Amino acid sequence: MTALSASRRRTCRRGARSESLAAWFLRLKGYRILARGYKSASGEIDLIAARGSVVAFIEVKARDDRARALAAVAPHSGGESKPLPATL
């Protein structure tokens, strides 16, 4: 196994911090965290949370500013999207 570069390690740590902050934010809003880093055949879901009858599947994106954050979650043209399974 190859060692991760310093840049990649920083990116991984930042992602983990961002996911933790998102989980705390959701808890403060009354959500219960059901899973973190859930892996399935179709990919990974950062957080799965529930509040009442609502189950939320959350992809966390960390960016330096609002414009980049919005661009990260905007629909991309020309890309192939994967259909989501009805059940996990």
Side-chain angles (χ1 to χ4, degrees):
M1 179 182 284
T2 60
L4 295 176
S5 70
S7 174
R8 181 69 180 148
R9 283 193 305 271
R10 278 192 304 273
T11 301
C12 288
R13 281 195 304 267
R14 181 179 183 189
R17 273 194 313 269
S18 298
E19 288 176 18
S20 291
L21 286 171
W24 277 109
F25 176 79
L26 289 166
R27 284 187 191 104
L28 290 172
K29 293 293 186 178
Y31 284 85
R32 186 167 50 102
I33 304 301
L34 304 176
R36 291 182 68 165
Y38 180 85
K39 291 177 178 42
S40 71
S42 43
E44 181 190 7
I45 300 169
D46 293 331
L47 297 169
I48 302 174
R51 183 173 72 177
S53 62
V54 173
V55 177
F57 299 88
I58 298 107
E59 172 66 25
V60 177
K61 298 285 187 186
R63 297 295 185 269
D64 291 329
D65 59 49
R66 184 175 173 84
R68 287 187 178 141
L70 291 173
V73 296
H76 299 289
S77 62
E80 185 177 324
S81 63
K82 293 189 286 187
L84 295 174
T87 60
L88 297 175

